[in-house]
Amino acid sequence: MRKSFLLLVAALIGAPFAPGQAAEPSFVPVLRTDFPDPFILPVDDHFLAYATNSAGTNVQVARSSDLVHWERVRDGGRAHDAMPVLPAWAREGWTWAPEVAHVGASYLLYFTARERSSGRQCIGVARASDPLGPFTSDAAEPLVCQRDLGGSIDASPFRDSDGRLFLYYKNDGNAVRRPVHLYAQPMAEDGLSVVGTPTAVLGVDSDWENGLVEAPTMVKAGARYFLFFSAGFFGWPATERFSPYAMGYASCDGPLGPCTPAAANPILHSFDTRDAGCLSGPGHQSVFEARGRWFLGFHAWAATSECRPADARRYLYVAPLDLSGPAPVIGMSLRPGASN
């Protein structure tokens, strides 16, 4: 097992965990339904999670009061859709990786969708007065679309401690056999447009990334900037023991970098051991602060008891995250019955 798995030893809930001492699996899903590319937003006294299109929706939503017990939001007998109508530039069926920011009196949904005219995945933004939506946009064009670089996906907003807004995203180069980078770009105060030019803050630099980095998430904890990201092919090929998808981070000098990938990457990856259990393809993380603590949300593939593909679903996981030191430390995931 890779040395980076040792970052899991400082469990933040339950009994202290170290390899060979776990009494139960290190990671247990909190929502066992297809919920890929999750983003978790604290809202008043509860939490909302948004995910890539599934269950007949463009943007599916789940709700929890404690981060452990989740249920999909429903409208009568149907799954709730936070953005039931896409803007005119977007084609249905390709709405990925939604993330929401509270800006002024509005909630802004940043999403990826297929552009009708180019056939590329591009980034849009929609607005609502309620975090459940409906989010709407009358934009004639995407917010960001690097068409000559394969398109743009995985938009993630970040507000710095001085109030400035930034948008992070990936050029979809692997769709056209072009190099892939993660970009940062300032946004206007209202969060509805980008300004200036994008800055490439991270590229592929290690074998474990397998030529692909994506899902940027910028976080500031104290004086430190951490850029979390995922890498590798997201799927779980039937011929492979695990999904190669994994999670890493970089330390950055500021919101526009420069960023230095950690030598310990990946910090979370697939494994199957007697003590720690099974996890396949953890990634597309969401990092958020709630009730004085940091947490990490992510998806991983449904697996059988033998740690083989169960079906084509990615489950939601939530784990405590310690950002008090120079390197992030991931704890054992939240689960019913634990001292959370």
Side-chain angles (χ1 to χ4, degrees), residues 18-329:
Q21 297 179 352
E24 56 183 331
S26 300
F27 296 98
V28 176
V30 292
L31 183 61
R32 295 177 181 268
T33 191
D34 191 37
F35 208 78
D37 308 329
F39 174 80
I40 297 176
L41 178 72
V43 180
D44 299 326
D45 61 348
H46 63 283
F47 304 89
L48 294 177
Y50 307 81
T52 282
N53 51 239
S54 186
T57 64
N58 293 317
V59 177
Q60 55 175 324
V61 187
R63 187 198 326 252
S64 174
S65 61
D66 58 7
L67 292 176
V68 175
H69 303 90
W70 291 84
E71 61 180 5
R72 269 189 175 143
V73 178
R74 305 191 69 83
D75 297 327
R78 301 180 59 185
H80 176 75
D81 192 341
M83 188 170 58
V85 179
L86 297 179
W89 62 263
R91 185 189 307 168
E92 289 192 0
W94 302 83
T95 310
W96 300 347
E99 297 202 9
V100 175
H102 193 190
V103 180
S106 298
Y107 290 89
L108 303 182
L109 174 73
Y110 299 90
F111 62 95
T112 300
R114 180 64 55 89
E115 186 181 36
R116 292 181 181 274
S117 60
S118 69
R120 300 294 183 209
Q121 291 292 98
C122 304
I123 291 166
V125 59
R127 180 164 49 184
S129 59
D130 188 302
L132 286 172
F135 289 89
T136 61
S137 170
D138 58 4
E141 297 284 339
L143 174 65
V144 174
C145 195
Q146 299 160 295
R147 298 173 187 86
D148 57 340
L149 297 178
S152 304
I153 68 171
D154 293 350
S156 182
F158 166 70
R159 184 184 291 279
D160 203 353
S161 53
D162 61 6
R164 292 182 300 163
L165 289 170
F166 297 86
L167 190 68
Y168 296 80
Y169 50 89
K170 163 203 170 182
N171 75 290
D172 201 18
N174 50 289
V176 293
R177 299 184 179 181
R178 294 287 300 274
V180 173
H181 291 86
L182 303 182
Y183 292 85
Q185 189 167 1
M187 286 196 287
E189 290 185 5
D190 62 5
L192 295 172
S193 61
V194 290
V195 297
T197 58
T199 300
V201 292
L202 198 73
V204 174
D205 77 337
S206 298
D207 290 343
W208 75 271
E209 296 162 344
N210 197 26
L212 188 157
V213 292
E214 62 185 23
T217 303
M218 179 62 81
V219 176
K220 187 177 185 183
R224 296 186 178 93
Y225 291 87
F226 295 111
L227 179 66
F228 291 84
F229 62 96
S230 297
F233 174 54
F234 79 93
W236 190 352
T239 56
E240 299 294 329
R241 183 68 184 86
F242 299 111
S243 167
Y245 209 48
M247 190 187 309
Y249 81 96
S251 296
C252 303
D253 290 352
L256 295 176
C259 298
T260 304
N265 283 338
I267 58 169
L268 189 60
H269 55 80
S270 300
F271 60 83
D272 180 22
T273 73
R274 182 187 63 185
D275 297 320
C278 169
L279 190 69
S280 185
H284 208 107
Q285 70 292 321
S286 168
V287 179
F288 60 99
E289 192 174 14
R291 300 168 186 172
R293 302 171 66 186
W294 288 97
F295 294 91
L296 176 76
F298 62 93
H299 72 227
W301 285 103
T304 67
S305 58
E306 292 79 26
C307 203
R308 298 301 300 148
D311 53 38
R313 292 187 295 172
R314 284 167 282 176
Y315 293 159
L316 172 65
Y317 293 73
V318 179
L321 183 65
D322 185 356
L323 296 179
S324 61
V329 178

